[in-house]
């Protein structure tokens, strides 16, 4: 499986990006690349134009090149951190309202995009749907990435006892939002098993579904939840 970062075909900024429909020129390239290389391709995310609105959408292609999943970012990054980053994604992007999973011969995968990783309930719902791997194409800024990028990757992995892959663009100091970089993969114990620096790189992480089972049987957090005290309900449209 190959994973690309958030906005992998476009600049990222409050309003400076290039949008297209799905299917479109970019997804045609992704489909061909998945087929040529016989891989599952999680094609990061792209600004999607649909029904007069823009979405931040991730597409997934199987090794035959078919589009098998499509997820639009659920949570807007609307933040104002003086001296750091001001971003109002809700001004331009419409939020998605579906959870999306896809099956591979190896494991079931749940999708989020970037800021979605900050909402533990989303990841928890994917556990309930049987996922062993969560994928987040991302574009964290240097301000928030230095504080939270690895922390959130490890936290979602440890509290859900599954693998989490967070994939970032390399850092480019000339762009309006400078990406943090440091793509990484954390395992169900919360350890980082693969990590890039901030420069361009390919990072390889081995996903072992048996290790997910082992950690969950040694420490059965899901069974130990107190449903008599609280619940997280899946009200997603699909
Ligand atoms: N770009 C994002 O959606 C997220 C981000 O930069 C952050 O959470 O920080």
């Amino acid at each position: 499986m190959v994973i690309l970062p958030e906005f992998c075909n476009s600049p990222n900024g409050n309003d400076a990006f290039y949008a297209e429909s799905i299917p479109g020129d970019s997804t045609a390239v992704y489909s061909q690349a998945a087929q040529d290389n016989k891989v599952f391709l999680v094609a990061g995310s792209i600004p999607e134009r649909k029904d007069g609105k823009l979405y931040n959408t991730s597409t997934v292609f199987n090794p035959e090149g078919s589009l098998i999943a499509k997820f639009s970012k659920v949570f807007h990054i609307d933040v104002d951190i003086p001296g750091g980053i001001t971003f109002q994604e809700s001004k331009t992007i419409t939020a998605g309202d579906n959870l999306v999973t896809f099956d591979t011969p190896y494991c079931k995968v749940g999708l989020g995009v970037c800021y979605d990783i900050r909402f533990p309930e989303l990841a928890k719902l994917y556990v309930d749907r049987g996922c062993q791997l969560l994928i987040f194409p991302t574009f964290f800024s240097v301000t928030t990435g230095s504080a939270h990028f690895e922390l959130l990757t490890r936290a979602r992995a440890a509290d859900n006892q599954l693998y989490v892959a967070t994939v970032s663009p390399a850092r480019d100091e000339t762009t309006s939002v400078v990406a943090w970089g440091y793509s990484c993969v954390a395992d169900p114990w919360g350890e980082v098993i693969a990590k890039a620096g901030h420069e361009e790189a390919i990072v390889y992480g081995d996903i072992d579904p048996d290790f997910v089972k082992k950690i969950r049987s040694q420490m059965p957090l899901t069974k130990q939840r107190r449903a008599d005290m609280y619940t997280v309900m899946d009200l997603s449209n699909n």
Side-chain angles (χ1 to χ4, degrees), residues 6 73 77 114-115 118 139-141 144:
E6 184 179 24
K73 187 175 185 178
I77 169 163
C114 205
Y115 203 64
R118 291 188 179 271
F139 197 127
F140 268 54
S141 65
T144 58

Side-chain angles (χ1 to χ4, degrees), residues 68-85:
I68 57 164
K70 187 170 170 250
F71 171 90
S72 294
K73 187 175 185 178
V74 168
F75 295 101
H76 287 129
I77 169 163
D78 286 352
V79 297
D80 185 12
I81 304 167
I85 175 175

Side-chain angles (χ1 to χ4, degrees), residues 198-218:
H198 63 69
E199 56 295 300
E200 198 172 307
I202 299 176
V203 175
Y204 296 89
D206 288 327
I207 306 303
D208 177 2
D210 288 338
F211 191 51
V212 176
K213 277 194 209 126
K214 186 173 155 189
I215 295 296
R216 289 180 180 177
S217 80
Q218 289 174 351

